[in-house]
């Protein structure tokens, strides 16, 4: 909402010296957010001057300039050199003796144009004689401002050279722009802005709606209000004022001052009837509609639309109406307008209109909001009705419009005045005057509280007790309970006065186990050399195909957005890898070569055919069953961690060449996470999309709890996703990691007896995974085996085709004695025997 | 060692002559001094201190002397052998020192190469700011609460006094989950976590709810459809707006610097009443620089919204508004990051370019 300071001055006693920024600050103090401040970017000397002499001087370029002297009072050259101001001027629409506006050297014109004395056409021009455009008075008047013409001879009579033209013409008129919150619809008017300004500063407020209103009578234009489908029991229209003005000259010009104000408020001047309705709306906040009376068939009224009905609105769009739309109809039941949103083209005031029906009505905010949303049509009217228009101002607004039409359009108002008033009085509520102190933590006396309630327009029934009965003013439908009034009391005193007191809760429990696990997972992956990134969790329909998921893969089951950002990505990811791979691709596209990324984030487990989430009322806590229904309808969204890498794992340098990242890196990173959490998982070979079937490790607990997968991505996947070949990746279920951790680790006593090493070389089938050989060796070796390390893998002729040799170093140590060489040999043989029987190992 | 002369060969006894012993010592010392390497010294040692050295031979002759002369001769030869042994030891130490020094010089490596053997990764600054904010509140005795990103409409809107006709429920802001009427949305704020907390627990409640939220904005320099928030909720007996202000002041001082305070301005949010916009004093210029780029010269920076929990929200969450009051606030993490670390463009935060995260390391 724009608020010209000059207009505000008519409605509130704005101090003479108050600037636009002072006004903005006062409005911000009571809760209107400042959006901007314009105008006022000019400065004097800009003065009234009387032209003393004019000499036309034709120039070589064909132009004729005028060498003028101007009396600007005791200023400029008169002050310094004792002679009138000498100014060169190019315009010709003034004469000797005219009162004009001069800007002298040192002055600044709108737009920041600084004026100085300058040499031109053989003279030194000491300033400028100004045009309307140069003064910011609009584009419509070419040439020099002659004050007698602009202000009228009468008003110009008292002027004398040297008078300040800035004040005279309101050139410094600043316009404050404020953001109006949804609870303060009344501030979409100068009336509301002025009321807030007065409330903030304590100055007097003059209500522009406080005009003489012709009383309603039975002779007015017939109005029939019906509502077949009220929303929540409220009538779609609870007040409708109809006034008729006949014989209006619709071609009559809109007065300049009104045009200027509409322009300042960001509206375009259109025609007198439209401008008048807009002006009154801006003044008092009541949207009005002007109908061409001749197009109506006998009466106007309201009803809900019928399915299949259509209306072509003023913007030329034909809209299909729905039963919730409230319509304005005429006596023939023809739709004229979508109530409170936009009028129809057929009843619009045209060039040939002479008689005008002015409609001022109060519509149900929800009805208007829904129509506005349904038709995707936000208008000045709908904006106001949605947020609540003062139903007390309806008749006054109509009167203001009638008066202006009569004054400037030369019409005559009908004697008949229709005012169908079905308003339900707002219900009073009790208010404890000690509530502000208890709510805000600042002392507010009973007197102060009551004074504030009065200032904002509340009617208070005061019996002297703490608790009073309050009825909100008609323009404040938002004030319905105690805390609403607390805010009023607090903002009028000022939020600045609220003290700063730190509340002291009882000792908290710190981060939960799950929260600490998450932080450790993230920190560990970063310490492994991977860079944390964030990706949008939206993926496309084809991604799961490109990842090579089987048709029945549960990771295809997800949730779909009805209104996705992009039609290409309407699905929620089911793995973090889904969206992380795209980030890798982007980094590589930007020239990064060695990239290792990870992300922690939620993934979606699709519900399948699930019940909709219930939407109960909000007057009390929903019952347990309803709450369970709400919770149950929300899909599971476990936290996962994913990593993806390509390029080199270890950089080259003076120490040697780089080492390319390989599948075992992904496994190693995943295991580092487990190790950091004290988890000892089982690693098994797996063949799971999107990994390479021969280079994928399943990481799980001994009880089968799956922690995740790691390895190299399938070559088809890297091709389909346009990733570098040999990209490696892992996906870990952080929820699973949380569930398998948390119990206190129990320490094993350390043996200080000497250890004994022994090496075994075994030949096994190529397909036997190392993990199986290891576990067989471990189980055979028994509890005195301290560690087991694979130190060589050999393929070659000596071991035969399809076979491999694996060499392990076994380290034994007993807890209670030094193991003898023979004992170690026995344990070693048992280990080998176990490997032989379980994985067919043959000792080399 | 040389053994005794069991042959009692008198011819050899001349080697025990004091002058001869002294000469042998001098020769040995000269040779030791002249040994330029450990190998040479080894040879010198063999020649002058070995079994066949002159002094070793002399030692063997002692036995041939008459008993009266044995003591003197033994002392003389022993001292002489001692001097030689000492000189060898010193020279050995000297040569070893020289060898070690030379090896260290030869082993010199240029360690100024700035390529790391093991590249450290980095955290995303959004995570780091989140954790930092969490730590500030945990230190004040609060707890961290979390909830799902796909959320029920009732928890995301209705319970927060955002009625069915509130503008924020339109498609202009909210991602809806299929099918139409599923009652599910992508949460538009972390406030449903507040409601979940109130539904599950009885006051006192002091929780911070950080998390990812979604709105149908297009990505540009200052907006992203997926962003992060943290919201605070306190519900207890006797909680006032002064407690809200105190909490916010304490928070901004810990995140932005000592002495920084907040300013509350009246505003409107459906879930709070009274409501307040939070401004924070400019920690860059302190309001002294009209050309300040951080605050635009106003001295204040808009941080987020706050207020006293609307009684309707308390009622819907099963909390008695006659007994308890509460406050809530919400701030954007992206905005905090942009302000505190001078990030000019949202694209850098959301695109996942490793160069962005790497600037911040592991802690901010
Ligand atoms: Zn600043």
């Amino acid at each position: 909402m724009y608020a010209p300071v000059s207009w505000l001055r008519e409605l509130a006693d704005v101090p003479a010296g108050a600037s636009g920024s002072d006004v903005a600050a006062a409005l911000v103090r009571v809760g209107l957010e400042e959006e901007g401040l314009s105008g006022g970017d000019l400065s004097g000397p800009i003065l009234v001057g009387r032209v003393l002499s004019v000499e036309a001087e034709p120039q070589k370029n064909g132009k004729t300039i005028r060498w003028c002297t101007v009396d600007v009072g005791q200023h400029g050259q008169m002050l310094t050199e004792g002679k009138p101001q000498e100014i060169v001027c190019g315009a010709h629409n003034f004469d000797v003796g005219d009162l004009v506006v001069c800007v002298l050297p040192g002055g600044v014109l709108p737009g920041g144009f600084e004026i100085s004395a300058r040499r031109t056409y053989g003279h030194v021009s000491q300033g400028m004689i100004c045009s309307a455009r140069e003064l910011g008075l609009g584009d419509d008047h070419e040439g020099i401002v002659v004050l007698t013409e602009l202000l009228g001879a009468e008003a110009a009579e008292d002027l004398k050279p040297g008078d300040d033209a800035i004040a005279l013409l309101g050139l410094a008129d600043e316009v404050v722009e404020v953001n109006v919150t949804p609870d303060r619809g009344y501030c979409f008017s100068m009336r509301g802005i002025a009321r807030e300004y007065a409330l903030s500063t304590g100055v007097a407020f003059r209500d522009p709606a406080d005009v003489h209103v012709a009383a309603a009578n039975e002779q007015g234009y017939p109005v029939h209000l019906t509502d077949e489908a009220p929303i929540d029991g409220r009538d779609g229209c609870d007040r409708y004022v109809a006034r008729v003005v006949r014989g209006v000259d619709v071609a009559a010009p809109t007065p300049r001052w009104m045009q200027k104000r509409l322009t300042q408020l960001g509206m375009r001047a259109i025609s007198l009837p439209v401008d008048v309705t807009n002006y009154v709306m801006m003044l008092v906040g009541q949207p009005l509609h002007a109908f061409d009376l001749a197009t109506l068939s006998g009466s106007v009224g309201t009803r809900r639309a019928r399915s299949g009905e259509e209306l072509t609105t003023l913007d030329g769009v034909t809209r299909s109406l729905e039963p919730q739309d409230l319509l304005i109809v005429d006596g023939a039941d023809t739709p004229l307008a979508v109530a409170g949103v936009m009028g129809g083209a057929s009843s619009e005031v045209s060039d040939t209109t002479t008689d005008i029906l002015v409609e001022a009505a109060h519509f149900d905010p929800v009805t208007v909001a829904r129509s506005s949303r349904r038709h995707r049509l936000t208008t000045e009217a709908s904006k106001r009705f949605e947020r609540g228009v003062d139903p007390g101002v309806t008749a006054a607004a109509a009167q203001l419009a009638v008066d202006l039409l009569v004054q400037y359009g030369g019409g005559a108002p009908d004697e008949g005045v229709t005012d169908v008033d079905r308003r339900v009085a707002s219900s009073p509520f009790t208010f404890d005057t000690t509530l502000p102190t208890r709510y805000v933590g600042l002392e507010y006396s009973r007197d102060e509280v009551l004074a504030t309630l009065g200032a904002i327009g509340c009617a208070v029934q005061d019996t002297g007790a703490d608790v009073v009965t309050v009825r909100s003013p008609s323009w404040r439908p938002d004030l319905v309970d105690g805390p609403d009034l607390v805010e009023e009391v607090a903002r009028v005193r000022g939020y600045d006065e609220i003290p700063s007191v730190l509340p002291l809760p009882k000792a908290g429990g710190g981060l939960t186990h799950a929260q600490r696990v998450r932080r450790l997972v993230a920190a560990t992956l970063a310490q492994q050399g991977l860079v944390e990134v964030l990706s949008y969790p939206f993926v496309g329909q084809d991604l799961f195909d490109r990842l090579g998921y089987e048709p029945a893969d549960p990771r295809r089951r997800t949730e779909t957005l009805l209104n996705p950002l992009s039609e290409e990505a309407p699905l929620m990811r089911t793995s973090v890898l889904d969206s992380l791979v795209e980030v890798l691709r982007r980094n590589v596209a930007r020239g990064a070569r060695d990239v290792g990324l990870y992300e922690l984030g939620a993934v979606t487990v699709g519900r399948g055919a699930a019940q909709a989430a219930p939407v109960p009322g909000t007057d009390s806590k929903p019952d347990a069953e309803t709450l369970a229904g709400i919770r149950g309808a929300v899909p599971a969204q476990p936290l996962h961690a994913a990593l993806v890498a390509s390029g080199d794992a270890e950089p080259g340098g003076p120490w040697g060449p780089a080492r390319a990242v390989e599948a075992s890196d992904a496994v190693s990173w995943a295991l580092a996470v487990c190790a950091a959490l004290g988890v000892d998982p089982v690693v098994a070979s797996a063949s799971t999309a999107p990994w390479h079937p021969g280079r994928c490790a399943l990481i799980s607990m001994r009880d089968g709890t799956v922690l995740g997968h790691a390895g190299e991505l399938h070559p088809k996947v890297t091709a389909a996703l346009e990733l570098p070949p040999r990209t490696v990746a892992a996906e870990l279920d952080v929820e699973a990691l949380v569930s398998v951790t948390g119990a206190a680790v129990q320490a094993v006593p350390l043996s200080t007896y000497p250890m004994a090493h022994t090496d075994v070389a075994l030949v096994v089938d190529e397909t036997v995974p190392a993990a199986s050989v290891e576990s067989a060796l471990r189980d055979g070796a028994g509890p005195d085996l301290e560690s087991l390390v694979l130190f060589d893998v050999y393929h070659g002729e000596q071991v035969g085709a399809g076979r491999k040799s694996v060499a392990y170093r076994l380290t034994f140590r007993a807890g209670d004695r030094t193991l003898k060489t023979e004992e170690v040999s026995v344990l070693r043989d048992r280990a080998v025997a176990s490997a032989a029987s379980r994985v067919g190992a043959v000792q080399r | 060692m040389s053994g005794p002369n069991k042959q009692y060969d008198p011819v050899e006894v001349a080697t025990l002559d004091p002058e001869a012993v002294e000469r042998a010592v001098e020769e040995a010392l000269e040779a030791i001094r002249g040994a330029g390497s450990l190998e040479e010294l080894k040879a010198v040692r063999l020649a002058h201190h070995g079994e066949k050295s002159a002094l070793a031979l002399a030692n063997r002759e002692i036995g041939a002397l008459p008993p009266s002369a044995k003591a003197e001769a033994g002392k003389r030869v022993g001292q002489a052998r001692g001097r030689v042994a000492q000189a060898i030891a010193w020279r050995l130490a000297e040569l070893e020192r020289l060898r070690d020094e030379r090896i260290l010089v030869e082993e010199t490596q240029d360690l100024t190469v700035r390529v790391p053997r093991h590249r450290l990764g980095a955290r995303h600054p959004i995570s780091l700011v989140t954790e930092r904010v969490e730590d500030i509140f945990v230190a004040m005795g609060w707890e961290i609460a979390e909830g799902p990103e796909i959320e029920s409409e009732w928890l995301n809107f209705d319970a927060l006094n955002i009625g069915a006709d509130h503008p924020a429920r339109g498609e202009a802001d909210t991602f809806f989950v299929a099918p139409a009427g599923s009652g599910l949305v992508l949460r538009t704020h972390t406030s449903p976590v507040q409601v979940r907390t109130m539904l599950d627990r009885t006051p006192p409640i002091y929780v911070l709810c950080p998390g990812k939220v979604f709105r149908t904005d297009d990505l540009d320099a200052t907006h992203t459809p997926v962003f992060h928030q943290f919201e605070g909720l306190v519900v207890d007996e006797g909680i006032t707006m002064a407690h809200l202000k105190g909490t916010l002041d304490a928070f901004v001082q810990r995140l932005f610097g000592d002495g920084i305070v907040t300013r509350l301005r009246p505003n409107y949010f459906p879930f709070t009443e009274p409501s307040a916009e939070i401004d924070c004093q400019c920690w860059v210029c302190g309001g002294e620089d009209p050309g300040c780029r951080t605050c635009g010269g106003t001295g204040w920076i808009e941080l987020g919204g706050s207020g006293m929990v609307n009684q309707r929200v308390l009622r819907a969450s099963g909390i008695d508004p006659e007994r308890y009051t509460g406050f809530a606030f919400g701030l954007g993490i992206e905005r905090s990051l942009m302000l505190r670390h001078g990030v000019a463009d949202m694209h850098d935060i959301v695109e996942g370019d490793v160069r962005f995260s790497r600037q911040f390391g592991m802690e901010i």
Side-chain angles (χ1 to χ4, degrees), chain A residues 226-227 230-231 233-238 304 362-364 367 422:
Chain A
T226 56
D227 188 348
I231 295 174
R234 288 183 310 273
D235 268 336
C237 175
D238 62 5
R304 297 281 166 176
H362 184 254
F363 300 115
D364 171 45
T367 297
R422 295 183 182 164

Side-chain angles (χ1 to χ4, degrees), chain A residues 28-33 181-184 366 369-370 373 376 386 437-441 480-481 483-484 486-487 490-491 495-496 498-512 515 518-519 522-523 526-538 559-565 572-573 583 586-587 590 592 594-599 601-602 604 607 611-622 627 630-631 633-635 637 648-652 654-655, chain B residues 110 113 115-124 126-127 131 134-135 138 140-146 148-155 158-159 164-167 169-171 174-184 186 196 198-200 204 206 212 214 216-219 224-226 228 239-247 249-250 254 263-268 273-277 302 308-312 315-318 325 327 349-355 357-358 362:
Chain A
V28 165
R29 216 185 129 266
V30 289
L32 291 157
E33 205 166 1
T181 53
D183 59 331
R184 292 193 206 290
V366 174
R370 289 189 188 173
R373 211 161 308 145
R376 299 184 193 281
E386 265 187 63
T437 300
R438 282 188 283 128
Y439 237 71
V440 179
V480 295
D481 63 14
D484 291 334
V486 170
E487 178 169 288
R491 75 183 178 106
Y495 276 18
D496 297 352
I498 298 172
S500 182
V501 180
L502 189 63
L504 298 173
K506 294 196 193 91
L511 297 179
T512 63
Q515 288 159 356
R518 183 180 322 157
R519 284 192 181 193
Q527 277 154 4
Q528 297 296 307
L530 304 167
V531 176
E532 186 179 20
V533 295
L534 300 166
S535 59
Y536 292 169
F538 310 128
E559 299 294 336
T560 308
L561 297 179
L562 283 174
N563 54 333
L565 272 184
M572 299 301 288
R573 67 181 175 193
V583 183
R586 184 178 302 134
N587 273 282
R590 286 184 183 180
D594 311 324
V595 189
L597 306 174
Y598 76 97
E599 179 178 358
T604 298
R607 297 163 302 154
Q611 293 284 318
V615 182
T618 56
D619 290 339
S620 62
K621 182 176 180 171
L627 278 179
I630 289 172
R631 290 198 168 104
V634 174
Q637 295 156 67
D648 290 339
E650 287 170 16
W655 47 83
Chain B
D110 182 0
V113 184
V115 182
R117 295 294 295 266
H118 169 76
R119 220 187 266 114
L120 189 67
R123 302 291 312 280
H124 195 283
I126 288 291
S127 307
E131 289 181 9
E134 288 173 353
D135 289 347
V138 166
M140 292 200 269
W142 295 37
E143 289 170 10
I144 310 299
E146 288 142 343
E149 292 167 9
I150 299 175
E151 182 56 288
S152 70
E153 284 196 55
W154 190 80
L155 288 163
D158 299 75
D165 295 295
H166 193 281
R169 281 185 78 152
E171 285 205 8
T174 311
F175 288 109
F176 288 91
V177 174
S182 68
L184 298 178
L186 298 192
R196 284 173 176 267
M198 288 190 281
L199 287 168
D200 290 344
Y206 290 78
K212 192 175 284 185
F214 305 82
T216 54
D217 291 322
D218 285 324
L219 174 63
T224 161
V226 182
H228 300 77
I239 290 296
T240 68
M241 284 184 88
H243 291 130
L244 166 65
K245 174 117 169 64
T247 301
D249 282 346
R254 283 159 178 76
R263 173 178 79 173
L264 299 181
R265 275 185 291 120
N267 204 329
Y268 168 79
E273 187 72 40
S275 301
E277 189 77 19
E302 219 175 280
M308 298 299 285
V309 182
N310 194 310
Q311 292 190 341
R312 275 165 243 171
R315 272 192 288 271
S317 308
T325 50
F327 68 75
I349 297 178
V350 306
E351 284 177 348
D353 193 313
V354 291
R355 294 171 297 172
S357 291
R358 281 199 182 281
M362 307 278 276

Side-chain angles (χ1 to χ4, degrees), chain B residues 282-289 291-301:
Chain B
C282 179
W283 55 87
V284 175
C285 76
E288 303 290 322
D289 176 10
C292 175
R293 287 171 60 193
T294 304
C295 67
T298 62
W300 293 94
I301 296 162

